[in-house]
Amino acid sequence: MGEGFLGEIDEYFEKLSDLAKIAKEANIAVHELVESPGPHAAMVAPVLAFRESILTSEDENGLSGYLVIGFFAGRTRRERLAAFAMTFEVEHEWNRREVKRLCARYDSGQHLFKSVPGLFGKIRRRANGRQDFELIDVSAVSSVGGSEIYRAESGFTKLCPYLSPGIVNWAQNEWPTAPAFVRLDAGYYSATQPLQLLTEATLVPANPRWLEDFSLRKGMKDFAAYHLLDRPASEGHAEYWDYHVKKVRRLEVHVERREDDYLTMMIEELPRPDDPSGLMIARCIHLDTRDPALTPLGKVEMQHLDLAINVYEGEDRERRFAQMLQNGKVQDASFRTHLFRIERTPFVSLFSFCGMFLKSQVLSASGSMSS
């Protein structure tokens, strides 16, 4: 494969990125832009022609089923296949750009902070006094009816879509005085109230049965990994749904007591490592506590609990999926962001957070029971 062809491929994906931006700014579906490009025809036509020129037998097999939908009518079969391929690839690029944008560090030039400058001062400060540029004090904004829409002074913004408003509502109701911080979409601000999303209710799971003591001693580590298998639905509908619909593959738990009075825990849920978007978006929970070994679990308090997403792309996702948290160190995420943080809450609340935040109910139940 020559360098010239590789250069054409690179240029093709650059054009996809441009088309994704055009579709987003025009607030139109990608297939509409491909089918009726209007003033962007001079960009769409050559990109579509190039995509047609590199159609493969795999494209033919994977895309033929979409021809019955009726989109891109009046074109040849190969042109329609290329149009579907390009549409999906633009959407994947759109998703990649959006995830990257959502993970970007806060800065004063973002739309939210230009519209509500005072909110920039509400960004969480670390113990050293420096802002973390990821989370905002939840007391600085207020949810509209418990939804993902938040009032920010005289206007409105939204939670990062990877954080369910149900988690925030539940935590605030349970521990109204606990310091809590949320990830808002800094690219979104509206002077008028937007429509709320129709979202599934967040159910708070029951706490599992626990060990009678908190026995991990200084220098001790514990690790567990739980895998979903590709089994038929007849062998378990919940596992089948988690594997095939939610695309979850593995849950890893790493616990370490570094000092007599310091324990840290990391939980990471990994989805399929071969998503067409090129991304592997893992859900991560991190917590720590200063309570010593043998403290009754009902009395253990977390210093903090964080919910985050770790995003792996390219070789990073291949390396991460091939590794385990067992040794405490794995491939760094390509980019990541915290979504929620709460401080000084009971350790046993971890399992409710797991049940609400992790996508696989099968694996989160397994991970909870292991502890």
Side-chain angles (χ1 to χ4, degrees):
M1 189 176 294
E3 291 183 5
F5 179 75
L6 293 176
E8 289 180 308
I9 291 291
D10 289 341
E11 184 179 356
Y12 171 73
F13 280 100
E14 288 177 8
K15 295 296 185 183
L16 293 186
S17 182
D18 293 339
L19 291 172
K21 184 177 180 180
I22 290 170
K24 182 173 179 60
E25 290 177 349
N27 196 28
I28 59 174
V30 174
H31 76 266
E32 293 175 335
L33 176 63
V34 176
E35 188 157 27
S36 303
H40 306 292
M43 177 185 292
V44 172
V47 177
L48 186 57
F50 177 76
R51 189 62 182 87
E52 182 184 352
S53 73
I54 60 171
L55 280 173
T56 64
S57 57
E58 287 79 7
D59 290 328
E60 174 83 23
N61 294 334
L63 297 169
S64 293
Y66 293 100
L67 296 176
V68 298
I69 296 176
F71 289 159
F72 315 118
R75 306 187 188 200
T76 67
R77 176 184 175 84
R78 283 184 60 83
E79 287 173 341
R80 293 185 68 204
L81 289 172
F84 277 111
M86 193 173 101
T87 295
F88 295 143
E89 287 160 358
V90 171
E91 289 176 344
H92 293 154
E93 179 61 21
W94 185 337
N95 291 337
R96 190 189 70 80
R97 287 170 57 97
E98 186 69 358
V99 172
K100 206 162 190 174
R101 182 189 69 79
L102 289 168
C103 290
R105 286 166 60 85
Y106 287 152
D107 71 67
S108 58
Q110 291 165 325
H111 187 36
L112 175 60
F113 300 117
K114 288 198 294 186
S115 303
V116 190
L119 203 56
F120 197 74
K122 300 298 182 180
I123 293 173
R124 174 182 169 265
R125 292 189 179 275
R126 304 179 189 274
N128 61 12
R130 296 177 181 174
Q131 291 178 303
D132 69 7
F133 299 108
E134 289 189 275
L135 297 168
I136 291 176
D137 190 333
V138 73
S139 66
V141 290
S142 58
S143 174
V144 176
S147 72
E148 81 287 358
I149 306 299
Y150 273 69
R151 181 177 288 279
E153 292 188 358
S154 60
F156 302 88
T157 186
K158 296 180 180 181
L159 283 179
C160 176
Y162 288 93
L163 175 62
S164 165
I167 295 176
V168 184
N169 298 335
W170 172 75
Q172 287 191 286
N173 288 334
E174 289 289 318
W175 305 284
T177 62
F181 307 86
V182 294
R183 178 73 179 183
L184 299 176
D185 183 348
Y188 183 85
Y189 176 83
S190 174
T192 58
Q193 183 176 329
L195 294 175
Q196 299 175 17
L197 293 176
L198 179 62
T199 56
E200 182 180 3
T202 301
L203 302 178
V204 182
N207 286 341
R209 296 177 61 188
W210 273 86
L211 300 175
E212 294 183 356
D213 59 46
F214 195 54
S215 57
L216 206 64
R217 311 297 182 98
K218 179 181 177 180
M220 293 176 63
K221 299 180 181 180
D222 197 8
F223 170 78
Y226 305 89
H227 301 257
L228 283 176
L229 302 177
D230 185 8
R231 293 172 173 162
S234 59
E235 294 186 16
H237 289 285
E239 185 166 348
Y240 181 89
W241 187 263
D242 284 353
Y243 188 96
H244 289 279
V245 179
K246 296 183 178 180
K247 310 296 185 184
V248 179
R249 295 297 181 264
R250 190 167 78 230
L251 180 73
E252 299 179 16
V253 182
H254 180 266
V255 188
E256 180 179 1
R257 185 172 287 283
R258 298 176 183 171
E259 302 292 340
D260 290 330
D261 64 347
Y262 186 73
L263 178 141
T264 181
M265 178 184 290
M266 177 76 75
I267 300 171
E268 190 166 21
E269 181 186 63
L270 300 175
R272 59 181 286 191
D274 57 349
D275 188 87
S277 68
L279 303 178
M280 183 172 73
I281 304 175
R283 289 175 174 255
C284 181
I285 300 175
H286 177 257
L287 63 94
D288 65 357
T289 177
R290 282 288 181 185
D291 286 315
L294 302 180
T295 301
L297 280 174
K299 295 184 178 180
V300 176
E301 181 181 83
M302 294 183 286
Q303 286 197 121
H304 87 283
L305 176 141
D306 286 330
L307 307 180
I309 53 171
N310 291 334
V311 184
Y312 305 90
E313 65 176 342
E315 293 182 356
D316 289 346
R317 71 173 180 172
E318 296 173 14
R319 293 193 188 103
R320 174 62 188 93
F321 199 77
Q323 299 167 339
M324 292 281 190
L325 277 174
Q326 187 165 6
N327 297 318
K329 177 63 177 175
V330 292
Q331 172 65 41
D332 289 336
S334 306
F335 45 96
R336 70 190 305 268
T337 190
H338 287 91
L339 302 172
F340 180 73
R341 178 186 175 99
I342 192 165
E343 300 172 358
R344 302 195 295 274
T345 56
F347 188 84
V348 293
S349 67
L350 165 64
F351 304 100
S352 294
F353 281 110
C354 284
M356 289 186 285
F357 180 61
L358 301 178
K359 296 178 72 174
S360 171
Q361 296 305 302
V362 172
L363 292 183
S364 63
S366 299
S368 298
M369 291 302 292
S370 75
S371 301

